[in-house]
Amino acid sequence: MTPPAAWRAGFGRYVGRTLVSTLYAAEAHGRDRVPTTGPVILAANHTGYLDGAVVFGLAPRPAHFLVLASTFELGVGPLLHLTGQIPLEQGHGDRAALTSALAVLQRGGAIGIFPEGGRGRGDLAQAEKGVAWLALQGHAPVVPVACLGTRATGELAASWPTLRSRLVADFGEPISVTRQDGIPGRVRLERAAEEIRSALAQHVAAASDRHGIELPTDLPPDVWD
């Protein structure tokens, strides 16, 4: 899969920022922690439909997000293509999508990813290994991002937050994954994935407390039922 053109992410960030800043009381914290140049991965928790737009729009630099391929089949599909997002098939290691994302990192770009693999509580109780693979192969630091306020307990996964409600994207300290030699590749990947998951879970919990925005306590029924 050919990586999307860099200009698309720049255009998309403008669209995302306009959307969330116009419709909501959107806040970005810790933007100075995101490296301004070179490859970087923005790894965020995932609770609601607007998470991508919030992190995408409030990030200090353009990023190409890995988005579920099924989302491209909806009405927003053309916009996702236009803004340089990368379709990802869920349920297995989508090598084409990961290779495209790796190419973005290799040209010094930014990739956005939701390690949980889908919308849920957003507490990072579990995470997929794709973010670790990209960090190791792309020699890229991982910036944990807490996305808060996009879904309250009891709301559907596809619902939008109430207009003018408070949305927060909190960017944490970059994580430099240690590439350990002398161990099997699978073990190296699993250790890196757990290192990232644990750091992101801690950042999300701390940001939730700091900003006074609770994570939803349920699983969204239209995704998990």
Side-chain angles (χ1 to χ4, degrees):
M1 181 186 298
T2 303
W7 69 265
R8 294 183 181 276
F11 171 71
R13 185 168 68 115
Y14 171 78
V15 173
R17 185 172 63 246
T18 301
L19 171 68
V20 299
S21 298
T22 301
L23 300 181
Y24 301 97
E27 304 174 10
H29 299 267
R31 285 162 53 98
D32 58 318
R33 300 187 182 114
V34 180
T36 56
T37 59
V40 66
I41 301 169
L42 306 178
N45 64 320
H46 204 9
T47 63
Y49 185 77
L50 281 188
D51 289 338
V54 171
V55 180
F56 189 38
L58 298 182
R61 57 185 288 191
H64 302 271
F65 271 71
L66 289 160
V67 180
L68 291 181
S70 58
T71 309
F72 283 77
E73 300 172 4
L74 304 177
V76 296
L79 180 60
L80 293 176
H81 281 294
L82 178 62
T83 55
Q85 311 314 303
I86 301 172
L88 174 71
E89 293 288 349
Q90 192 177 26
H92 62 88
D94 188 341
R95 186 53 64 103
L98 290 176
T99 299
S100 180
L102 179 59
V104 170
L105 295 174
Q106 289 173 335
R107 73 186 185 203
I111 284 293
I113 189 170
F114 296 102
E116 291 166 296
R119 283 163 267 172
R121 294 190 180 98
D123 57 359
L124 273 295
Q126 61 183 15
E128 304 292 338
K129 298 181 178 66
V131 60
W133 186 88
L134 286 171
L136 290 169
Q137 298 298 320
H139 304 283
V142 179
V143 174
V145 186
C147 188
L148 307 170
T150 57
R151 185 178 72 83
T153 298
E155 291 183 345
L156 301 179
S159 63
W160 286 44
T162 304
L163 292 179
R164 302 309 303 167
S165 59
R166 185 178 174 221
L167 306 181
V168 169
D170 190 310
F171 300 85
E173 294 290 346
I175 306 162
S176 294
V177 179
T178 304
R179 189 180 181 90
Q180 300 173 318
D181 296 323
I183 60 175
R186 176 172 292 184
V187 175
R188 183 187 302 122
L189 181 64
E190 289 176 349
R191 289 182 180 177
E194 176 57 23
E195 181 181 354
I196 295 169
R197 185 206 67 78
S198 178
L200 180 52
Q202 292 177 38
H203 176 67
V204 169
S208 175
D209 289 341
R210 185 164 57 251
H211 298 295
I213 302 177
E214 295 183 355
L215 295 174
T217 58
D218 66 338
L219 297 176
D222 55 337
V223 169
W224 300 103
D225 279 1

